[in-house]
Structure formats: C-alpha cells, structure tokens
Amino acid sequence: MSAEKQTNYRFDAVYIVSAGSAVPALPYTGFEPTQLATPALQSTQLAAPPVTIGYYGTALSPTLTVGGTVSLQEAVLSSNTTLVSVPTFFQPTMSADYQELGLTLAALNSSTDEEWKIDKPIYEIARYVASELMAESYPAPKLFIHGPNSVVFLWEEGANNLYLTVSEHYISALALAGDEIQARVEFDRSTLPGTSILLPAIESARLGRPVLSSVG
Amino acid sequence: MSTWKALVGRISFLASAPTPPPETSVLDLYKQTWGTNPQNFQDAPNPLMPSTAQGVVDGMTVACTKLPNRVDFSVTPNTTIPTADLSIRFIEDASTLRGELSRIAAAIAANQIIVPEMLNRVAVFIQFVAIEPDLVSANKAVSRAIPRGYGGELSDEEAFVLQFSRSQALRDVPKVKLNVLTKWSVEQFQVVSFGVSFGVSVGGVAGENPQTGIVPQVRSYIGASVSFDCNTPPTRETLVGNERSALILEALNIASRAQLEYGLNVEGFDRVSRKAN
C-alpha cells in the first residue's frame, strides 16, 4: 500500500442541490398490509422515472490522491439542501442484497460467538445507517465486522473499494484504488447533518472540491 | 364531472439526524394511538424491513408502521370485507379521515402518543383520486384540477405527472418551514384478490374430488390523482409535541384549502367529523 499523503485541508462547500422531488418507483402508496383472500389495493403510476440517487455508481477515478481529516462542521450547505419529498418508505420487494444485509446484521446481533458478536448500540447504529442508505437507494454494501464496537460497509467496483466504518461516535471512510489510498476521512456522527449527505461528502473529500449530488 | 374521493392519509415522522432514535414498539404505538390491540401484527422479518400493526377503526383501516428511521400512521379504506366485483374502495366520508388525522395530532400534542423526539421530521400525505372510464377522461379530469398557468391541453398522453413544491413558514413553529409538495397525475390502480377456488372433476358431482387452487383476480382502474405531501426538511432542531401537532394540523388545513381551490370538492374534507373531536 503506497504512503498516504498527509495533507490536512478544509473544503468550503458541499453543494447538495435538490433536483425536485423524487418520483418513487412502484408501488407508490407504500406498504399496505393486507389479509389473505381480501382485495389488496395497489397504486401504480403508469410510468415512473426511477429515483436516481445511486451516487456511488460513479467509478472512483485514480486521479486524486489527497488525504487528511475533514471536519464537516466547516462545510457550508447551500440553501437548496431541503428534501422536499418524503422517501417512499417501503418497497415490498426489498432487494436481495439489502435483505441479506439485514439478516447478517441480525445474525451478528444475536450471535453468541464472541468472535462475531457486535454490541447492541453498534447493531442499532448500523441498522439505522443501512436503513438510510436503502432509503436513499444507494446500492447495498457488503458487511464486515471490526470487533464488537464497529461494523464496516464495503462497496467494490473493480479495483476500487470504499470502506465505511461505523462506530458509536464516528464514521470513517477509506477509499482505495487498488492498493493506493484515494481518501481517508472521518466524521463525528454527532455533527453529521444526515446520512443522506454521507457518500457525497466522502466523494467531495476524495476530490477536494464541491460535488453536485441529485437528491429528492 | 369527476367525483374525487380520499384514498389515503398518512402522518409520518422521520429521522434527520445520523443517530438512531431509541427503540420503540409498534404495538405500543398502535395501542397509544387507537387504544386497543391491533387486529393484525407483523414483526419485522428483517432488521431493515418494517414492523406493522393494523386494525379497523370507524370503517377505515388504520396502521402503524415502524422502521429504524421512521414511524408512520396511515389511514386507508377498509378492505377487510371482500367484494365480489373487486370494486376499488375509498374513504367515503372524508370528514372522518380528516378527523382521525386531527385526533392523532392532538394526541401527539398531549403526549398520549410517544414518538421519539429524534424523529424530528414531520410529514403528512393525503391522496385524492377520481376514477375515470378511460385515459382521455382521466387526463381531462386531472387537467381541470391543475391551476391556470401550469397545465396544457391533454388528450391521450400517458404517464402525465405535474409536481412542484412550495414552502411555507408557520407562525406557530418558526424553527422549521413546511414544504407543500403537490402532485397531479394519472395513475393505474389495480385491485388484486387471491381467492381459493373449488371445482369439480369432469363428469363428477359437485363436492366430489374438488380441485383447489389459488386464483388471483385483478381488476384495473384508471384515475386522476392529486396528492399533497407536506413535510418539514431535515433539521437539527428538536420538535416538541405541540409543534409537531401544529405542523400536522396546518398541513391538513393546507390540503383542505388546496383541494377546494383546485375544484376537487372532496365531500367532507373541509370539516372535521364530530366523532373525532
């Protein structure tokens, strides 16, 4: 692994521009619990544009190699950071990847094997972060544990990896291109404006400049 | 002329902080809200899926749904009594819908319903629908509901959607503003029923050698839809019960005025039913 450049920096702005409301995918009315053998009402839009939030779908470019610690308190959010729509809260057909992620979390929480068990507060935090990632339609990460006090979410795209370590007080991110560190940032969870800003903020730190993120 | 009816009403509380709210029981929330045990309860089959408690109150299906990052109280038509013709159901008395949502708001202000403060984003969703015989009629119905200056002539276009938001400041809750997101659209609705059928073998007698199987039945409708999604943006501010209640009630007032302004004239939604007071 190449040496990390220890450049401390601050960035002035992370611009999150609301692209208007997301028009959710099917179904629209959310979860409507039904009983067997009674009519179930589904509302579908004739054609619904997909929610285009898969921010980490962009490839990690090997062009930037800055590192350092970023304090998110110094980020300035534009006035358009309001989310004007409430995310569709339930997709009856949860992706298999998120189903697997949820079951893995449950297994880690209930495990009696000290090598695999995570503490209850970490389970709750990881579950919450995963729920937020799912609500924002980010692709489901893989899950690893880092002892009982933290979990690691991992996204892989070819030789590029993003590790997100979630502990009780901090979220830290490590972006790798092959063996080379692209960025390493750490956020104090108490100062993070919200989970929806997390991955764009990491990308901004990696690039060392404001990024434009479409949210809705 | 189109007949607009209420299809769904929902009050939601969402988290906007990166720290998860304390664990709450959906059963407790249901009992706090409706004062009785639910008729149906489903615990979360997966940590990332919701747990749900559901029942029937005042002829409406009511449900409380909980996820790690949100809690929802929804009111929908009662579909527990099946119909042979798979007719689409609505909340026929919209005053009852508004009354129920208003009652929930009052109960929150009175701390009778304990929603964690960390769920500090409030949202109210109301949807009105007018079922039409065909796409052209549905387009005409939705066009009539669009304020002058926003709409154009529609004929047989499919998938029409018009959506925008206006934010409003509330005098009673100055710390947050209320986004009023209105959506006009033409939607397809499907009533789906899974029933068990019993048949007879060829040449046999009724009841002898019955054939059984799941027979899904689907009936589709096309309708014009106008929905109001009033919600507060993510914030670090803590909203206490009175403030949440004020936001919910104002959202209902906004939806009530708007549906009259747009010519929906949903019977009863401009008043609160006496039973809910």
Side-chain angles (χ1 to χ4, degrees):
Chain A
M1 184 177 291
S2 60
E4 171 190 348
K5 292 185 182 180
Q6 295 295 328
T7 304
N8 293 321
Y9 65 93
R10 58 173 284 176
F11 56 91
D12 294 325
V14 173
Y15 294 109
I16 309 277
V17 177
S18 171
S21 296
V23 180
L26 308 174
Y28 181 71
T29 56
F31 182 62
E32 305 287 358
T34 60
Q35 296 175 345
L36 186 64
T38 58
L41 182 65
Q42 272 187 315
S43 167
T44 62
Q45 294 180 325
L46 292 176
V51 176
T52 53
I53 310 282
Y55 192 82
Y56 191 66
T58 57
L60 285 178
S61 157
T63 59
L64 191 69
T65 55
V66 298
T69 301
V70 172
S71 168
L72 198 60
Q73 295 99 313
E74 297 165 341
V76 174
L77 301 178
S78 81
S79 60
N80 287 333
T81 56
T82 56
L83 292 173
V84 297
S85 71
V86 170
T88 302
F89 71 100
F90 179 62
Q91 304 288 351
T93 53
M94 180 194 288
S95 74
D97 291 338
Y98 270 110
Q99 283 191 38
E100 186 179 340
L101 177 61
L103 292 174
T104 303
L105 275 174
L108 293 174
N109 179 52
S110 60
S111 174
T112 55
D113 186 338
E114 286 202 9
E115 188 178 347
W116 293 104
K117 185 166 180 57
I118 56 175
D119 292 342
K120 181 74 171 176
I122 302 304
Y123 165 73
E124 294 294 342
I125 292 166
R127 182 186 177 206
Y128 176 77
V129 171
S131 296
E132 291 280 277
L133 292 171
M134 187 172 68
E136 296 292 339
S137 299
Y138 287 113
K142 294 180 182 175
L143 182 69
F144 299 89
I145 61 169
H146 206 263
N149 298 319
S150 63
V151 297
V152 180
F153 295 112
L154 167 64
W155 290 267
E156 295 173 301
E157 189 169 2
N160 301 317
N161 298 318
L162 175 64
Y163 297 85
L164 200 70
T165 302
V166 178
S167 62
E168 191 167 356
H169 299 293
Y170 296 97
I171 294 179
S172 59
L174 175 65
L176 295 175
D179 289 338
E180 188 171 350
I181 295 176
Q182 293 282 295
R184 186 198 296 265
V185 294
E186 186 173 83
F187 305 101
D188 184 329
R189 284 185 52 250
S190 65
T191 62
L192 198 63
T195 311
S196 63
I197 196 179
L198 185 58
L199 292 187
I202 293 169
E203 185 69 354
S204 174
R206 186 185 75 81
L207 295 174
R209 59 175 169 79
V211 296
L212 188 68
S213 172
S214 170
V215 297
Chain B
M1 287 300 289
S2 305
T3 302
W4 292 87
K5 296 186 180 179
L7 182 63
V8 60
R10 184 169 63 227
I11 296 171
S12 306
F13 298 93
L14 300 93
S16 52
T19 303
E23 188 66 17
T24 51
S25 160
V26 75
L27 277 177
D28 289 342
L29 285 170
Y30 185 95
K31 290 176 190 175
Q32 291 167 12
T33 306
W34 288 291
T36 182
N37 288 324
Q39 294 174 341
N40 297 298
F41 167 69
Q42 178 178 332
D43 204 356
N46 182 297
L48 302 183
M49 291 187 74
S51 55
T52 304
Q54 178 200 1
V56 176
V57 170
D58 291 338
M60 300 177 293
T61 296
V62 295
C64 179
T65 307
K66 192 183 81 68
L67 276 163
N69 53 351
R70 64 184 288 166
V71 169
D72 297 83
F73 302 93
S74 63
V75 182
T76 53
N78 182 7
T79 58
T80 56
I81 302 173
T83 60
D85 62 354
L86 295 180
S87 56
I88 188 169
R89 312 281 184 91
F90 292 99
I91 300 172
E92 296 294 338
D93 184 358
S95 68
T96 307
L97 168 64
R98 184 167 179 188
E100 185 61 20
L101 297 176
S102 301
R103 187 193 66 76
I104 293 173
I108 289 169
N111 287 324
Q112 293 167 358
I113 303 173
I114 310 300
V115 176
E117 281 188 354
M118 297 173 87
L119 297 176
N120 62 350
R121 195 178 168 202
V122 179
V124 175
F125 178 81
I126 308 286
Q127 185 178 18
F128 301 113
V129 172
I131 297 297
E132 298 292 336
D134 51 52
L135 180 63
V136 172
S137 301
N139 281 342
K140 286 181 180 172
V142 79
S143 295
R144 285 193 293 267
I146 296 174
R148 195 179 296 273
Y150 289 107
E153 280 295 317
L154 292 176
S155 57
D156 61 350
E157 292 85 350
E158 294 185 10
F160 173 80
V161 177
L162 170 66
Q163 180 176 267
F164 58 77
S165 176
R166 281 204 178 106
S167 66
Q168 297 190 22
L170 270 70
R171 185 185 58 192
D172 293 339
V173 191
K175 59 178 72 167
V176 292
K177 63 179 183 179
L178 195 62
N179 294 316
V180 180
L181 177 69
T182 309
K183 189 175 89 168
W184 294 261
S185 61
V186 172
E187 299 190 12
Q188 182 181 40
F189 300 87
Q190 289 182 319
V191 179
V192 181
S193 177
F194 291 91
V196 177
S197 73
F198 293 86
V200 294
S201 55
V202 175
V205 179
E208 203 174 70
N209 298 326
Q211 299 174 1
T212 62
I214 302 295
V215 181
Q217 299 173 67
V218 181
R219 188 171 173 187
S220 297
Y221 300 84
I222 284 186
S225 168
V226 178
S227 63
F228 302 95
D229 180 353
C230 305
N231 60 80
T232 61
T235 177
R236 290 185 186 276
E237 300 282 353
T238 300
L239 295 177
V240 297
N242 286 338
E243 292 169 326
R244 291 165 159 181
S245 176
L247 287 164
I248 294 168
L249 293 175
E250 182 57 22
L252 293 174
N253 286 337
I254 290 170
S256 175
R257 289 193 298 267
Q259 61 92 15
L260 288 174
E261 179 187 333
Y262 301 149
L264 307 189
N265 299 315
V266 178
E267 181 81 25
F269 195 74
D270 56 336
R271 64 179 186 272
V272 176
S273 69
R274 263 179 280 156
K275 188 179 290 188
N277 281 342

